[in-house]
Amino acid sequence: QVQVAEFGGGSVQAGGSLRLSCTASGLSSDDYTMGWFRQVPGKEREGVSCVNWNGAVTYYRDSVEGRFTASRDNVKNTVYLQMTGLRPEDTAMYYCAADRRSVDRCLRSEYLYSYWGQGTQVTVDS
């Protein structure tokens, strides 16, 4: 059984940093691509970033480009989202999602992911 879980959310001041971690138990580290998404109450979930199976292919939405970095440690079977220069508009529930398909690619659409975590809250105070 596959279980995805996020860690590392919290509250920070604007300009601060947080690192989110995501583990996918039940999946081999080289057997899935991982995406990061976020959602604010009353709004649709949006894609933030994704990383392919070996970290060589990544994607970032325009508003986080240059501030967020996705990476993975396949020895630890963990994917990270390093967030710097955080802004109040980054406040949201952050989710990671995994899928076995197209592991060489970076899947941007939430509809392509089979396994989801419960989310971790990130709050950025102005």
Side-chain angles (χ1 to χ4, degrees), residues 22-97:
C22 180
T23 59
S25 61
L27 292 176
S28 299
S29 60
D30 60 351
D31 195 31
Y32 63 94
T33 187
M34 183 72 80
W36 290 97
F37 298 83
R38 65 187 182 188
Q39 188 170 25
V40 175
K43 294 188 177 181
E44 292 187 354
R45 187 158 52 190
E46 61 183 23
V48 177
S49 177
C50 59
V51 57
N52 79 327
W53 76 275
N54 63 359
V57 179
T58 56
Y59 156 78
Y60 304 95
R61 69 180 297 109
D62 288 346
S63 62
V64 308
E65 181 80 51
R67 299 188 297 122
F68 290 11
T69 303
S71 62
R72 62 193 297 162
D73 183 336
N74 283 353
V75 173
K76 296 181 178 179
N77 201 10
T78 301
V79 178
Y80 303 98
L81 185 66
Q82 179 68 49
M83 305 184 294
T84 63
L86 283 162
R87 304 167 180 169
E89 54 265 37
D90 294 318
T91 295
M93 184 72 78
Y94 282 71
Y95 299 89
C96 63

Side-chain angles (χ1 to χ4, degrees), residues 7-8 20 38 56 83 85 88 97 100 104 115 125:
F7 304 92
L20 305 183
R38 65 187 182 188
M83 305 184 294
R100 288 194 179 100
D104 288 334
Y115 310 106
D125 298 317

